[in-house]
Amino acid sequence: MNGDWLLRGRDGRLSVYQSSGDAVLCRAERAPGGPWDDARKVGGEQKLLPVLAVGQGADGYAHLVAWRPTVQGEAGLVHSTHFRARLAALDWNPVGHPNKKGDRTGTPAVAVDAEGRAHVFVRNKGGGVSMLAQKEKGGWEPWQDIQGKDVQDGLAAVTGESGRIELYAAVPEGLLYWRQEEPGARPVLAQSLKAPVRPGTLYALATSPASTTLYYTGTGGELWAWRPGGEPVALLPSAGHGPVAAVRCELDGHDCTLLAQRSASGRVAFAAYPTELESAGAWWTESGPQLTVDARVSLGTDADGRVVAATLSPSTGTLLLTRRKDEPGLALEAWRAV
């Protein structure tokens, strides 16, 4: 999966999305903070390939993007909108292929602008990035090639506090960064950074009105933070493999960024520091039971503004959840199976 799969809807209820076999499943709270429904299929009966991208707009709507098989050896992308977690999602809508037709070209990424328009990004056959954007009044703009070369899988799309879309990608020599100069404009390749980057470890977060921060793991195992226009900062050694999850939250009256990652020991490791103040330092603290190797971690906040962490193990279907306690510091409730 690509993107935050633990979401809070406009009604305050939490939901979780996952790719499962040839379908996408959703589980949701029956009421904010209450018990959860059983997992159910979303988007109709369309058979899907096992890949999912998730994005959410300021309106709380979830946008889901997946690949579906078409003819032998070929696939196409489909999109669905989920307005409320306990309502049926719209049926999967075919949105085409970055090269008109062919097999899968990469894992998609999706971000939603201030007007609620989904922007879908995916690597194309030429090794660059193609984008598809919704029109404000329905339908989709044509596919656009937004350049790039030798782009590796694992794009990180993010919506800044301005409501404009930004995109990060890893390439053999470092990182590429695209941004929208104006709302609704085509993102332009704005900067490249030479850096040793481990593919598949990118995660982007809006951290101020002017900036987004990209977190990635270097080839030496360090977790780095980079804001375009500046230099990357080594934050701390990576706790494990794969990308971190991150969320902005208030801790003891301070604007902080909380990071989470499945650690090498198999548990969830957390680290927090004042937002955009990497020089303050951070350190990992492990929590919860040992997880399967394929377990993923996602962070969010609930209807009361408390931090929520979830882990999902695709091989077992196990979903675990914890919340921050109502006390100083980052004390968490006991992890529980949902």
Side-chain angles (χ1 to χ4, degrees), residues 8 161 205-207 215 245-260 270-276 299-302 304-309 324 329-330 332:
R8 185 185 74 238
E161 289 188 17
L205 181 71
T207 49
Y215 298 96
V247 68
R248 295 248 321 266
C249 57
E250 184 179 296
L251 295 178
D252 301 336
H254 300 284
D255 177 6
C256 291
T257 297
L258 177 66
L259 308 173
F270 292 95
Y273 71 97
T275 298
E276 295 195 348
L299 296 174
T301 56
D302 65 12
D304 297 321
R306 291 189 300 169
V307 168
V308 183
R324 183 191 174 201
L330 191 60
L332 298 173

Side-chain angles (χ1 to χ4, degrees), residues 18 48 121 158 202 284:
Q18 68 176 103
L48 304 174
F121 301 92
V158 61
L202 277 57
W284 296 113

Side-chain angles (χ1 to χ4, degrees), residues 152 167-178 189 191-198 201-202 214-216 224-226 232:
Q152 297 170 335
L167 179 74
Y168 296 88
V171 293
E173 64 274 13
L175 294 163
L176 300 179
Y177 166 68
W178 291 259
L189 185 57
Q191 190 173 348
S192 61
L193 175 76
K194 287 190 175 181
V197 178
R198 186 179 294 168
T201 64
L202 277 57
L214 178 73
Y215 298 96
Y216 67 91
W224 293 79
W226 177 53

